[in-house]
Amino acid sequence: MKALDFDLSKDMKFSPQTGVTSFRNSRLIILDANALGLLRQTVVDRLGAEKGRALFLKFGYQNGYSDFLQMKLAYQFDSEMDLLASGPVIHSWEGIVQATPKEIRFDHASGEFFFTGVWTNSYEAEQHLCFHKAGKEPVCWTLMGYASGWCTAFFGKRLIAIEPLCAGKGDEHCEWKIQPETAWSHEAAPYVQAYRDFAI
């Protein structure tokens, strides 16, 4: 199948009799975005911005890594490119953000990986701005974590997603850029640190 053929609604099962909503073999929990925003802000208030960022990067990374494994096992894609590109598609279906890839290049033999795109309507940027003015750093921590985890699971090598543009720092929309940690400079340090405990 092609990446754009993915339809989450076909494989979601609602069972109010058991209280379990699932997607294939994974249990899903539907939460209000405002509740997640309050949780995020409470964590930042209690732990500080740096520790809060690290926690939500880890949360997103695990989510993206797990989603990738689920998609790889559950569906037969026409190509590796379609498998990789299904990440932004499922991210959009989950109501997290509208994700539109721009440029994708990868080569397993050389270790080259480069993936860019646009995030529109990020729930995380919206929630950040409910509590703060626009800042200087990208704030879509779970989104960047998710993209890092998804692409790392796909490529088998640590990849880091960072937002060059983020609505949470006053940009019109968010954009992602994903590449090996060695291709980044000092700006990747907090992300590398957050993911250091995850095996590849």
Side-chain angles (χ1 to χ4, degrees):
M1 65 185 272
K2 299 292 185 184
L4 291 175
D5 293 335
F6 174 75
D7 185 339
L8 180 62
S9 65
K10 291 181 179 178
D11 285 316
M12 281 188 69
K13 293 182 179 178
F14 297 90
S15 177
Q17 297 82 7
T18 62
V20 175
T21 297
S22 60
F23 164 59
R24 294 286 179 136
N25 296 320
S26 294
R27 183 172 183 172
L28 300 182
I29 301 171
I30 300 172
L31 298 174
D32 182 77
N34 293 314
L36 286 174
L38 179 59
L39 172 64
R40 183 182 191 272
Q41 185 57 38
T42 301
V43 168
V44 169
D45 288 342
R46 298 288 176 88
L47 300 181
E50 288 187 14
K51 289 183 179 179
R53 173 177 60 191
L55 189 151
F56 286 106
L57 286 169
K58 290 174 190 284
F59 173 80
Y61 186 98
Q62 181 61 49
N63 190 16
Y65 201 100
S66 297
D67 272 2
F68 174 82
L69 296 179
Q70 176 85 309
M71 292 291 283
K72 184 178 181 181
L73 290 172
Y75 298 94
Q76 186 68 43
F77 287 92
D78 291 355
S79 66
E80 276 198 309
M81 184 68 78
D82 281 300
L83 173 58
L84 175 61
S86 69
V89 176
I90 194 171
H91 224 176
S92 299
W93 268 101
E94 290 173 337
I96 294 168
V97 70
Q98 200 283 318
T100 306
K102 289 171 61 178
E103 183 177 358
I104 308 175
R105 298 194 312 269
F106 64 88
D107 183 85
H108 291 285
S110 69
E112 178 193 15
F113 189 98
F114 188 78
F115 190 2
T116 64
V118 175
W119 281 326
T120 307
N121 295 324
S122 162
Y123 93 91
E124 200 164 11
E126 288 177 356
Q127 289 301 317
H128 177 84
L129 292 173
C130 287
F131 295 93
H132 303 276
K133 294 180 180 178
K136 296 181 180 179
E137 300 290 331
V139 302
C140 298
W141 302 329
T142 63
L143 274 67
M144 290 184 283
Y146 186 102
S148 298
W150 178 279
C151 291
T152 295
F154 166 81
F155 203 56
K157 178 180 180 180
R158 180 82 72 218
L159 299 171
I160 305 291
I162 300 178
E163 293 176 295
L165 299 177
C166 180
K169 61 185 185 75
D171 297 312
E172 185 176 335
H173 59 263
C174 303
E175 292 192 5
W176 79 79
K177 182 178 180 181
I178 310 167
Q179 55 188 3
E181 63 180 80
T182 53
W184 292 102
S185 59
H186 66 279
E187 72 267 32
Y191 305 90
V192 173
Q193 179 74 7
Y195 308 139
R196 74 187 189 285
D197 294 331
F198 287 100
I200 300 177

